[in-house]
Amino acid sequence: MRSFRPVFMIGLCVLLTVFWINCAAGDKRWDQEANPGHRAGFFAGIWHGLIIIITFIISLFVKGVNIYEVNNTGWGYDLGFLIGLCFSFLAPWRLSKHRGHKKVKT
C-alpha cells in the first residue's frame, strides 16, 4: 500500500497557510468602514503575535497584509501582541536547547 503521509502533510501545510492568511492583521474584519466599532482585542493580539513570522513573509508579497493591526483596543491588544511575540520568538529556541541532549553518567 502507498503511504499517504506526504500528501497529508502537504495538504495540511496548504490548509494552515490559507488559515493564517485569513487571520492576519490588516484583514477586512477590522476595517472600520466595513465594520464600524469592531476592533482587534487581547486574543487577536496574541494570535497576531504568534503568527508574526509567517505574516511578515506574506506581507512582503501581499500589499493588504500587515504584521500589526492598527484598529485595535489599545493596551489590551498590545499586551496580547507582546505575549504572542514572546511565545513566537522565545519558545522554539528554548525547546531546541534541551532536545536530543542526554547526560551520560560515568
Side-chain angles (χ1 to χ4, degrees), residues 5-106:
R5 185 178 172 126
V7 175
F8 175 74
M9 293 305 291
I10 291 171
L12 184 63
C13 288
V14 169
L15 183 67
L16 287 175
T17 302
V18 170
F19 178 72
W20 281 325
I21 289 172
N22 287 330
C23 296
D27 192 12
K28 296 211 182 270
R29 171 184 3 200
W30 313 115
D31 186 14
Q32 293 302 298
E33 291 178 8
N35 297 318
H38 191 70
R39 297 177 182 263
F42 176 74
F43 294 110
I46 289 177
W47 181 249
H48 293 161
L50 283 172
I51 65 169
I52 191 167
I53 297 168
I54 295 163
T55 306
F56 174 70
I57 293 169
I58 293 169
S59 72
L60 295 175
F61 303 105
V62 179
K63 188 176 182 179
V65 175
N66 303 321
I67 60 171
Y68 182 82
E69 181 58 56
V70 293
N71 296 317
N72 60 52
T73 57
W75 70 269
Y77 177 81
D78 293 339
L79 178 65
F81 189 78
L82 287 174
I83 291 170
L85 205 62
C86 288
F87 278 107
S88 180
F89 283 108
L90 297 178
W93 283 274
R94 254 179 220 266
L95 291 175
S96 66
K97 286 182 184 177
H98 300 293
R99 189 176 288 181
H101 297 287
K102 294 182 181 178
K103 293 182 180 180
V104 178
K105 294 182 181 180
T106 55

